[in-house]
Amino acid sequence: MGDSQYSFSLTTFSPSGKLVQIEHALTAVGSGQTSLGIKASNGVVIATEKKLPSILVDEASVQKIQHLTPNIGTVYSGMGPDFRVLVRKSRKQAEQYLRLYKEPIPVTQLVRETATVMQEFTQSGGVRPFGVSLLVAGYDDKGPQLYQVDPSGSYFSWKASAMGKNVSNAKTFLEKRYTEDMELDDAIHTAILTLKEGFEGEISSKNIEIGKIGADKIFRVLTPAEIDDYLAEVE
Amino acid sequence: MQIFEYNGSAVVAMVGKNCFAIASDRRLGVQLQTIATDFQRISKIHDHLFIGLSGLATDVQTLYQRLVFRHKLYQLREERDMKPETFASLVSAILYEKRFGPYLCQPVIAGLGDDNKPFICTMDSIGAKELAKDFVVSGTASESLYGACEAMFKPDMEAEELFETISQALLSSVDRDCLSGWGGHVYVVTPDEIKEKILKGRMD
């Protein structure tokens, strides 16, 4: 991480005690496409806008929601390439844990290790912080869990959360709509409605992505056909 | 001079009904000379997980220290005890790390897993796991132990009967091995308690 010429950190404290680079990274996240997650009583759903720069882009080739393990998935707001790097590192950490203990990694442990990587990039020579916030959704022995990880490396467990452009409206909407005993299907409907709130243009299965995990502990990205069904139910 | 027979050892673990027993001899020798008669070969990792290590005594002690270290860190990070199967995978990985300069030990791992189901396994000095449903043995007295256990073992024994069986198997086997013996150390573990007993056998 940085050769001898850049063995000093580019992320340094300002006189007011802030790490300005991290603030800027959070701004980058805040101008990214909206994504959100909701933890239901029997599962977790994560969703994101998928606004492509042009109609010529093959939308089937773009997948913003990714698996980290069979029972943990993630979505981001911010810079796509930074997300790819984090997904790669997290997958490797999950596999290393599995190889060592022959047991799937608990969600909290994977989140912590990913957050540690993000923190390292705020305190190493010659690198910049990641320009993404992640929402990690998983289901393990402790039940359904939803975590947000920020560029600083801090992570929080949420019942429901949103990130990106429309974050304040989305969070207000979620605060009103969230109930403790919500089931997974209700959560998916709520997620769609929340995305709709700040959506520019017509929402359809081609410009949003939804991932869910239920008590079966298998994380799945919904197909466009399934999204269409949920959209129809919401109308 | 065989390195695995330098110190002498006997370790055995048996499965019972919702319980397990793990036992070892107590002799520490330097080839033919007996140095100590109270050597600890079995160690507790947590209340439902024990590991017995046979083989070279220095590696027994060092390996035990390393494993306790790893388990304590795991407990702090994950806020839970390690499951026996997970621990066995960890031990196997640690042993294989030293594939070309191994720890000269053969571990015997015994624990109560989920739903208090007993779990035992053994492995060779480079981490090849061997799971068993009834008993596992290790050490210089292993051949006698195999015979004694095979003859005396019954499935689904309760704690008292298991204790008797494992004690008899251990004592009769170490009597046929000049490098192990000088008494026995038995742990019988049920979901609620750990019973530890010292056996008095032939003191030779």
Side-chain angles (χ1 to χ4, degrees):
Chain A
M1 228 125 306
D3 60 11
S4 56
Q5 278 179 299
Y6 291 100
S7 56
F8 57 89
S9 175
L10 305 172
T11 311
T12 49
F13 281 106
S14 72
S16 59
K18 292 201 195 136
L19 286 165
V20 186
Q21 279 299 301
I22 295 181
E23 308 278 320
H24 293 335
L26 285 164
T27 312
V29 169
S31 55
Q33 290 180 10
T34 312
S35 61
L36 57 93
I38 303 176
K39 181 169 74 172
S41 58
N42 59 343
V44 193
V45 60
I46 50 178
T48 181
E49 288 179 4
K50 191 164 77 168
K51 289 265 181 58
L52 299 166
S54 144
I55 54 164
L56 293 174
V57 175
D58 177 5
E59 73 270 353
S61 72
V62 175
Q63 201 171 72
K64 292 179 72 177
I65 299 185
Q66 293 284 342
H67 285 248
L68 296 178
T69 71
N71 66 325
I72 305 175
T74 183
V75 73
Y76 73 101
S77 280
M79 297 169 66
D82 285 7
F83 177 66
R84 273 204 318 269
V85 167
L86 278 172
V87 163
R88 200 182 158 83
K89 284 189 201 272
S90 302
R91 283 176 177 165
K92 190 168 180 188
Q93 278 159 341
E95 282 304 313
Q96 279 169 343
Y97 185 101
L98 181 61
R99 187 167 172 264
L100 182 61
Y101 294 114
K102 304 281 187 308
E103 207 189 282
I105 189 169
V107 183
T108 331
Q109 301 302 314
L110 184 57
V111 166
R112 189 196 293 117
E113 301 216 12
T114 309
T116 305
V117 168
M118 291 169 86
Q119 192 281 339
E120 276 163 10
F121 278 71
T122 67
Q123 211 178 10
S124 302
V127 299
R128 62 162 175 81
F130 286 95
V132 285
S133 277
L134 302 175
L135 274 173
V136 180
Y139 202 121
D140 62 16
D141 293 332
K142 290 207 185 103
Q145 289 160 80
L146 176 67
Y147 284 92
Q148 177 177 342
V149 195
D150 275 347
S152 57
S154 34
Y155 59 92
F156 320 90
S157 177
W158 289 94
K159 298 177 197 170
S161 181
M163 324 180 296
K165 261 195 273 251
N166 206 26
V167 61
S168 45
N169 284 346
K171 278 200 175 167
T172 319
F173 190 86
L174 285 169
E175 274 170 31
K176 284 202 217 112
R177 285 285 190 128
Y178 182 81
T179 61
E180 293 282 341
D181 53 3
M182 202 181 246
E183 293 216 343
L184 191 53
D185 277 342
D186 299 327
I188 297 179
H189 291 137
T190 309
I192 292 176
L193 288 168
T194 317
L195 276 178
K196 246 180 135 182
E197 275 290 292
F199 209 86
E200 287 157 26
E202 183 78 34
I203 196 170
S204 82
S205 61
K206 287 204 178 39
N207 51 28
I208 62 170
E209 232 178 84
I210 302 180
K212 70 167 185 181
I213 179 164
D216 58 356
K217 294 194 193 164
I218 298 178
F219 183 82
R220 264 196 338 106
V221 180
L222 299 183
T223 63
E226 288 167 317
I227 299 182
D228 277 325
D229 289 338
Y230 279 107
L231 281 170
E233 284 169 28
V234 159
E235 297 298 339
Chain B
M1 191 265 292
Q2 297 275 49
I3 192 65
F4 279 108
E5 284 152 28
Y6 188 74
N7 294 125
S9 50
V11 182
V12 56
M14 275 192 191
V15 164
K17 197 172 164 75
N18 291 337
C19 64
F20 68 85
I22 185 167
S24 75
D25 73 321
R26 308 189 78 207
R27 177 181 180 272
L28 174 70
V30 173
Q31 292 186 293
L32 53 89
Q33 185 182 20
T34 302
I35 300 289
T37 57
D38 59 356
F39 189 66
Q40 271 264 67
R41 279 197 175 85
I42 297 176
S43 316
K44 186 172 89 158
I45 301 290
H46 62 71
D47 281 346
H48 292 162
L49 181 57
F50 282 73
I51 182 164
L53 291 154
S54 68
L56 198 62
T58 177
D59 286 352
V60 162
Q61 289 177 327
T62 304
L63 191 58
Y64 165 64
Q65 285 162 10
R66 275 195 72 185
L67 292 169
V68 158
F69 170 80
R70 294 295 293 260
H71 182 254
K72 281 188 184 165
L73 278 181
Y74 181 98
Q75 269 178 326
L76 284 168
R77 261 185 282 125
E78 306 221 3
E79 293 171 351
R80 60 180 175 139
D81 287 334
M82 234 190 242
K83 289 192 251 203
E85 296 87 351
T86 312
F87 184 70
S89 299
L90 175 67
V91 176
S92 177
I94 287 180
L95 290 174
Y96 196 83
E97 266 170 24
K98 303 266 186 233
R99 171 69 176 78
F100 300 109
Y103 288 112
L104 299 160
C105 294
Q106 279 130 326
V108 163
I109 295 164
L112 289 175
D114 290 333
D115 301 323
N116 293 322
K117 193 164 175 298
F119 169 89
I120 53 170
C121 86
T122 184
M123 51 191 88
D124 68 6
S125 55
I126 46 177
K129 263 189 284 188
E130 191 199 304
L131 307 173
K133 293 201 180 80
D134 39 20
F135 56 85
V136 289
V137 305
S138 159
T140 50
S142 58
E143 275 154 2
S144 313
L145 278 166
Y146 271 126
C149 291
E150 196 69 60
M152 298 186 202
F153 180 81
K154 285 194 326 269
D156 288 327
M157 283 184 278
E158 296 283 350
E160 272 92 45
E161 207 191 339
L162 188 65
F163 167 74
E164 287 299 327
T165 309
I166 202 174
S167 306
Q168 294 292 359
L170 180 71
L171 289 176
S172 55
S173 307
V174 303
D175 284 348
R176 275 291 178 188
D177 175 27
C178 52
L179 295 172
S180 52
W182 281 91
H185 203 146
V186 186
Y187 292 85
V188 180
V189 180
T190 59
D192 309 310
E193 60 172 347
I194 302 167
K195 276 194 280 242
E196 186 186 337
K197 288 217 177 66
I198 307 284
L199 304 173
K200 194 161 155 69
R202 277 183 68 103
M203 299 307 200
D204 61 3

